[in-house]
Amino acid sequence: MSRTRFIFSGSGGQGVITAAVILGETAVMYEGLNAVQSQSYGPEARGGAARSEVIISDETINFPKVNSANVLVCLTQQAYNKYSMAIRPGGLIITESHNIKLLKKVDARQIGLPFSETASEKVGMPVTMNICMLGAVVGLTEIVNRDAVLKTIATRVPPDFLAANKKAFQLGLDLVEPYI
């Protein structure tokens, strides 16, 4: 495995930080891997820029910042415009298909998926978009075990919302089936 670097980006309130935390916790708690997670966001409570980084490795992680990512997730056009050049050549960019116009000049596999629409229409809760996106990330990268992610989600989500989040995670996995 060695080392995989992720950048999750979007706007405040979209849950990119929560998704990154769940991914990092799953790697450490259930997979026996090392992980570091960091985050930054604009001063706005909602709608400002949000970015979270996760590094997962089976070796010691000496530097906790991601300068160039293996996997980049962008949920807004602004995030895509700002971070698309932070992808390693041959990396993977996952975007919210309804919000983002993809650039052709990026040396990466680019996959646009309807996370917002899926969460709204199939789960009935737009706030589960981040967990749907996390399902897609896990499905495409296979960085951690799917069942382990569900265990971590159960520790991070209030019990009343657990079923909806589990459904959103599975829908994210389902979205990427054609790309695997």
Side-chain angles (χ1 to χ4, degrees):
M1 166 199 191
S2 193
R3 184 174 313 241
T4 305
R5 299 161 184 89
F6 296 83
I7 296 174
F8 292 82
S9 60
S11 64
Q14 288 184 307
V16 295
I17 293 170
T18 300
V21 168
I22 290 170
L23 181 63
E25 281 185 11
T26 301
V28 171
M29 300 298 293
Y30 299 104
E31 303 290 335
L33 299 168
N34 296 312
V36 295
Q37 183 269 330
S38 62
Q39 60 202 34
S40 61
Y41 40 90
E44 304 89 348
R46 293 266 188 252
R51 172 181 167 149
S52 187
E53 302 173 354
V54 179
I55 302 171
I56 297 175
S57 179
D58 53 7
E59 301 171 353
T60 301
I61 301 168
N62 295 316
F63 184 68
K65 285 293 288 172
V66 174
N67 294 321
S68 75
N70 303 94
V71 179
L72 171 65
V73 177
C74 299
L75 299 181
T76 64
Q77 187 70 50
Q78 179 185 16
Y80 181 81
N81 294 346
K82 187 172 184 177
Y83 300 121
S84 62
M85 294 309 184
I87 191 75
R88 290 175 176 266
L92 173 63
I93 300 176
I94 304 167
T95 63
E96 163 57 60
S97 60
H98 295 296
N99 296 339
I100 297 172
K101 181 179 178 195
L102 301 176
L103 303 174
K104 304 266 189 239
K105 63 184 177 181
V106 178
D107 181 13
R109 180 179 182 203
Q110 299 187 71
I111 300 173
L113 299 166
F115 302 123
S116 180
E117 177 184 316
T118 300
S120 293
E121 293 179 8
K122 295 188 177 179
V123 180
M125 295 181 69
V127 297
T128 62
M129 175 180 70
N130 65 325
I131 302 301
C132 182
M133 171 269 292
L134 182 60
V137 169
V138 170
L140 289 167
T141 65
E142 297 184 349
I143 191 81
V144 292
N145 180 286
R146 297 166 182 197
D147 291 333
V149 176
L150 290 171
K151 290 178 186 176
T152 306
I153 290 170
T155 68
R156 286 274 168 188
V157 173
D160 292 346
F161 299 102
L162 185 56
N165 279 275
K166 284 182 174 183
K167 182 176 182 179
F169 183 75
Q170 183 59 53
L171 288 167
L173 292 169
D174 295 345
L175 284 174
V176 300
E177 279 300 315
Y179 302 96
I180 297 175

